[in-house]
């Protein structure tokens, strides 16, 4: 038996633009998904989780629409093994709201299956398998989610090239609208939208914001980071991926003194983030506005085997 964990994530800058080859910045946060894997006597993959209700059962080869089963299948194929695997998931990451729940679970599943037989995990191999599994949920993902949940820290990601940033750990306020959304559908919506060349300028604006944000992060310039978050949010709103609830929470955070606030991830619902000199005040205001709000730390460890 093996127990593996992988972090949740936040995209700090550059979501959506990253799908079109522009840069984005993501960070691993201190909410994790834990996956336990063991060998089974039957040649089946069985996935159990409190969130899932009933267990999911699959053969080792059958076509699947479940990213977790896919991650286990591809990991077994990579190892050349034909054995059954039982997978149990426990996750602290809110589901379907842009905090990387699905990427974290498939990353931890891929690592658990690989590690079960060798005791070690090769992050590059894990990230590739997680990417295959993410395609089921996202269609054509940029790869940033599986990269950050595998490697951890804070990364600057562009066309699959990963630069680990040596920035100082930050505290980020997260406000969850509680509205789950479908990343695949939102990404497809943006694709249609930017066929209009006037819309494509939003992507270039986001790209320039991300480059400035990288410098501000490395200099730990929170005031500049806040301004850039506001600018990035405005571009995302113009791209059509904000929502009434997100706008309310972004305004609320700003009203409570946040240095900057933006939606994070695909948008359309899900979470917003803010940085603030007095984060507790922002959290209180977000809660009063009906959100679930909490503080997370950036720059957390990537996928790892948990000690007994
Ligand atoms: O829905 P999330 O938080 O996993 O974010 C997806 C980020 C996008 O840039 C919108 C899509 C992608 O594949 O990068």
């Amino acid at each position: 038996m093996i127990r593996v964990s992988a972090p949740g994530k936040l995209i700090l800058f550059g979501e959506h633009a990253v799908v079109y080859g522009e840069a984005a910045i993501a960070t691993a946060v201190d909410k994790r998904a834990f996956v336990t894997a063991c060998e089974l006597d039957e040649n089946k993959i069985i996935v159990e989780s409190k969130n899932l209700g009933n267990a999911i059962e699959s053969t080792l080869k059958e076509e699947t629409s479940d990213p977790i089963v896919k991650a286990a299948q591809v990991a077994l194929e990579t190892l050349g093994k034909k054995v059954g695997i039982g997978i149990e998931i426990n996750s602290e990451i809110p589901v379907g709201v842009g905090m990387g729940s699905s990427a974290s679970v498939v990353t931890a599943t891929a690592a658990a299956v690989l590690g079960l037989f060798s005791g070690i995990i090769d992050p590059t191999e894990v990230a590739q398998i997680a990417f295959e599994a993410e395609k089921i949920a996202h269609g054509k993902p940029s790869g940033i989610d599986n990269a950050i949940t595998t490697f951890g820290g804070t990364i600057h990601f562009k066309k699959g090239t990963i630069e680990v940033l040596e920035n100082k750990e930050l505290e980020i306020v997260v406000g969850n609208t509680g509205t789950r959304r479908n990343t695949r559908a939102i990404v497809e919506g943006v694709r249609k939208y930017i066929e209009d060349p006037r819309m494509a300028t939003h992507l270039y604006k986001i790209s320039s914001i991300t480059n400035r944000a990288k410098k501000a992060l490395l200099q730990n310039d929170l005031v500049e980071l806040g301004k850039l978050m506001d600018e990035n949010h405005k571009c995302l709103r113009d791209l059509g991926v904000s929502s009434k609830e997100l706008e309310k929470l972004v305004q609320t955070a700003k009203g409570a003194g946040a240095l900057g606030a933006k939606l994070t991830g695909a948008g359309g619902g899900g979470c917003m983030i803010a940085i603030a000199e007095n984060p507790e005040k922002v959290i209180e205001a977000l809660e009063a506005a009906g959100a679930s709000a909490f503080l997370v730390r950036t720059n957390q460890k990537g996928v790892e085997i948990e000690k007994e």
Side-chain angles (χ1 to χ4, degrees), residues 9 11 15-16 18-19 98 138 141-142 144-145 181 183 187 265-266:
K9 62 89 202 188
I11 299 185
E15 48 274 269
H16 288 291
V18 68
V19 174
H138 282 198
S142 64
I144 192 169
D145 284 8
R181 75 284 181 287
T183 295
V187 169

Side-chain angles (χ1 to χ4, degrees), residues 154-173:
T154 296
I155 61 167
H156 179 272
F157 178 99
K158 189 171 178 168
K159 288 186 191 155
T161 305
I162 297 161
E163 181 189 354
V164 178
L165 301 181
E166 301 293 333
N167 61 304
K168 245 177 107 175
E169 186 181 296
L170 295 173
E171 285 186 334
I172 308 256
V173 175

Side-chain angles (χ1 to χ4, degrees), residues 215-253:
K215 277 197 207 115
L217 262 177
L218 293 175
Q219 291 165 355
N220 201 35
D221 184 344
L222 301 189
V223 172
E224 175 70 1
L225 274 177
K227 269 193 216 151
L228 292 167
M229 274 187 173
D230 290 346
E231 279 185 41
N232 195 163
H233 180 72
K234 194 170 168 300
C235 293
L236 290 164
R237 195 173 61 205
D238 292 347
L239 263 187
V241 298
S242 191
S243 71
K244 220 169 72 203
E245 292 84 1
L246 282 167
E247 287 308 307
K248 181 175 164 195
L249 297 189
V250 166
Q251 289 310 319
T252 301

Side-chain angles (χ1 to χ4, degrees), residues 56-173:
I56 299 171
E57 265 193 49
S58 161
T59 64
L60 303 189
K61 289 258 181 237
E62 76 188 48
E63 199 66 41
T64 180
S65 60
D66 184 80
I68 307 166
V69 170
K70 182 73 179 179
Q73 285 177 333
V74 181
L76 285 171
E77 227 173 86
T78 307
L79 293 165
K81 292 259 178 204
K82 286 195 180 113
V83 289
I85 298 280
I87 289 164
E88 199 190 305
I89 298 158
N90 279 294
S91 177
E92 304 165 347
I93 308 165
V95 177
V97 290
M99 288 196 68
S101 156
S102 116
S104 176
V105 169
V106 296
T107 297
T109 300
V113 175
L114 293 177
L116 183 62
F117 297 99
S118 62
I120 45 163
I121 47 182
D122 169 4
T124 306
E125 205 166 56
V126 171
Q128 268 161 11
I129 296 170
F131 185 60
E132 288 308 309
E134 280 279 281
K135 283 184 190 164
I136 291 186
H138 282 198
K140 287 189 190 130
S142 64
I144 192 169
D145 284 8
N146 55 279
I148 189 62
T149 55
T150 301
F151 295 102
T154 296
I155 61 167
H156 179 272
F157 178 99
K158 189 171 178 168
K159 288 186 191 155
T161 305
I162 297 161
E163 181 189 354
V164 178
L165 301 181
E166 301 293 333
N167 61 304
K168 245 177 107 175
E169 186 181 296
L170 295 173
E171 285 186 334
I172 308 256
V173 175

